[in-house]
Amino acid sequence: MNVMLQDLAPSRAAGHPVGISSICSAHPVVLRAALRHGARTRATVLIEATCNQVNHLGGYTGMTPADFAEMVYRIAAEENCPEDLILLGGDHLGPNPWRDQDAETAMAEAEKMVAAYVEAGFRKIHLDASMGCRGEPVALDDHQTADRAARLAAVAERTASGAAGPMPLYVIGTEVPPPGGADHALEAITPTAPDGAKTTLAVHREIFAARGLDAALSRVIAIVVQPGVEFGNHNVIAYDPAPARPLIDVLPALDGLVFEAHSTDYQGTAPLAQLVQDGFAILKVGPELTFALREALYALDLIASDLLPDYGARPLKVALEALMLEKPANWARHYGGNAAEQGVLRHYSLSDRIRYYWAEPQAQAAVAALLEALQGQVVPLPLMWQHLPAATAFADRPLDPEALLLWRVEEVIRSYHTACAV
């Protein structure tokens, strides 16, 4: 089903709530799985990049928004996924990547970034200027946040007016879990207070109107809130509708908006479907997708180690361990405990910070060696049962390891697809 973002609130108001999953990843295998699923189901494929991941200076992926869009559409063409099914979004677009600089410098860079996203054809724009810059509080109040968001919206509007294609759709609000999940075991997460959601919207409306941004305001489709879901390194807080009920009850008063929920990874189909039923119509997923990819890669690494005498003892895992120890910046401050506990988290944390390393040359070489070693090999059923029992369909016949990886990631995407079609 091809769901349009602007149809989410009217569908809910008509008594037919539907949702859409947002694929938040830059990994080519994840993107290919999402686009292959879209080609097969003719469902909307919403793919989002974050401000740190992709920006006008390259981000940590080294890609500009135009580079990212080119990669998505190239893979889509290879998968026969029609371009009219694809929607690109920018997540947390604001000064966050430059928050160690003064506010004016950081906002000037954020303006350039927003312009680059819109010029590249990104049309779902999450405006997030909530973070303080150098010399400011860590989190800004609603008025400061909305004032800076309006400044960025004005750039997006001007840029889109001079480019081909539809005008942007906006998401506001910033009450989200820590990026990539929490760093500790969790017991409970408090949903957004209803008055907080109403105030955020009211302040944005006031400031956007004062700046002459009524047209942009009319295209605000969602507000980011915390429904009470989260995952940390070790565990997942599943959705519980009861504590979220006061927040859900305020949705009809938000005049044609829906809620956007971040960090919905690892919830499973039933809780995701309940989230959509309750008005959290945009469901963000990221680390679960690359966790599933890592799970499949490591299973294949074990299978190859057991099956092929010359392959070695888990060389993929060994290569990733060496790489992460050599370059600890992406995990060190997130993984506590002793050396053994950190070793487990480096590879198996639900936050999946190993995802930052797959583009490194050493990791790519190790993956390529694994796929080449297993290409066409026949994996006996008992060996598949041992290391990836859900993949029995790939046993006892010549193996296409890339197809297995895509299948495993698409399993997660299918769960979201099912949940969103409530």
Side-chain angles (χ1 to χ4, degrees), residues 20-367:
I20 186 169
S21 56
S22 171
I23 306 299
C24 301
S25 179
H27 197 291
V29 172
V30 171
L31 297 179
R32 187 175 296 279
L35 292 162
R36 182 171 293 187
H37 183 266
R40 183 182 300 117
T41 62
R42 289 301 191 263
T44 304
V45 185
L46 171 57
I47 295 172
E48 299 206 47
T50 68
C51 60
N52 290 309
Q53 183 185 62
V54 172
N55 58 52
H56 62 296
L57 301 177
Y60 69 73
T61 64
M63 287 188 285
T64 65
D67 295 331
F68 186 86
E70 188 280 329
M71 178 178 66
V72 169
Y73 288 116
R74 173 178 52 78
I75 296 173
E78 294 169 356
E79 295 296 329
N80 296 312
C81 181
E83 289 191 6
D84 62 3
L85 292 180
I86 301 169
L87 177 63
L88 297 180
D91 201 21
H92 297 292
L93 298 192
N96 186 60
W98 306 280
R99 66 185 183 277
D100 60 340
Q101 303 180 43
D102 65 272
E104 185 54 39
T105 300
M107 281 297 295
E109 293 297 335
E111 288 182 322
K112 296 174 186 175
M113 175 179 63
V114 168
Y117 266 87
V118 176
E119 285 174 354
F122 289 70
R123 286 299 180 265
K124 179 182 179 290
I125 303 296
H126 174 208
L127 299 170
D128 183 2
S130 64
M131 65 295 297
C133 299
R134 189 174 67 201
E136 296 182 326
V138 173
L140 303 181
D141 62 31
D142 277 319
H143 283 82
Q144 287 176 299
T145 297
D147 185 70
R148 292 179 184 179
R151 177 175 167 181
L152 297 176
V155 171
E157 292 289 287
R158 287 196 303 270
T159 305
S161 295
M167 296 296 286
L169 301 173
Y170 296 102
V171 175
I172 60 171
T174 57
E175 189 164 339
V176 299
D183 296 338
H184 55 280
L186 303 167
E187 294 182 2
I189 296 292
T190 303
T192 298
D195 287 345
K198 289 191 289 187
T199 298
T200 293
L201 179 58
V203 171
H204 276 76
R205 284 177 167 166
E206 174 189 345
I207 291 176
F208 273 53
R211 285 183 172 236
L213 291 168
D214 298 272
L217 193 60
S218 72
R219 283 180 265 107
V220 174
I221 59 165
I223 180 170
V224 176
V225 293
Q226 170 54 271
V229 302
E230 175 58 297
F231 61 92
N233 287 328
H234 304 280
N235 69 326
V236 179
I237 301 297
Y239 178 56
D240 181 356
R245 181 52 54 188
L247 176 62
I248 297 164
D249 289 344
V250 84
L251 188 55
L254 300 186
D255 296 336
L257 301 189
V258 294
F259 291 138
E260 176 170 294
H262 292 219
S263 289
T264 66
D265 307 65
Y266 309 108
Q267 288 292 314
T269 305
L272 292 171
Q274 188 63 57
L275 280 163
V276 173
Q277 184 71 36
D278 289 344
F280 303 94
I282 304 174
L283 304 177
K284 293 294 191 78
V285 57
E288 184 181 4
L289 295 163
T290 44
F291 183 95
L293 174 64
R294 193 274 317 147
E295 176 188 69
L297 282 167
Y298 275 21
L300 291 177
D301 196 34
L302 284 161
I303 288 169
S305 297
D306 287 345
L307 185 66
L308 307 173
D310 297 331
Y311 177 72
R314 303 190 70 183
L316 176 63
K317 182 177 184 292
V318 169
L320 267 295
E321 174 72 352
L323 180 58
M324 286 188 286
L325 290 175
E326 178 188 348
K327 300 180 178 182
N330 287 316
W331 63 265
R333 69 185 180 90
H334 300 278
Y335 296 160
N338 59 36
E341 291 166 337
Q342 288 183 349
V344 171
L345 290 173
R346 276 194 295 276
H347 297 274
Y348 305 111
S349 166
L350 294 177
S351 297
D352 191 54
R353 303 195 71 81
I354 199 173
R355 69 187 185 274
Y356 295 102
Y357 296 89
W358 293 116
E360 294 281 349
Q362 303 97 305
Q364 290 190 331
V367 170

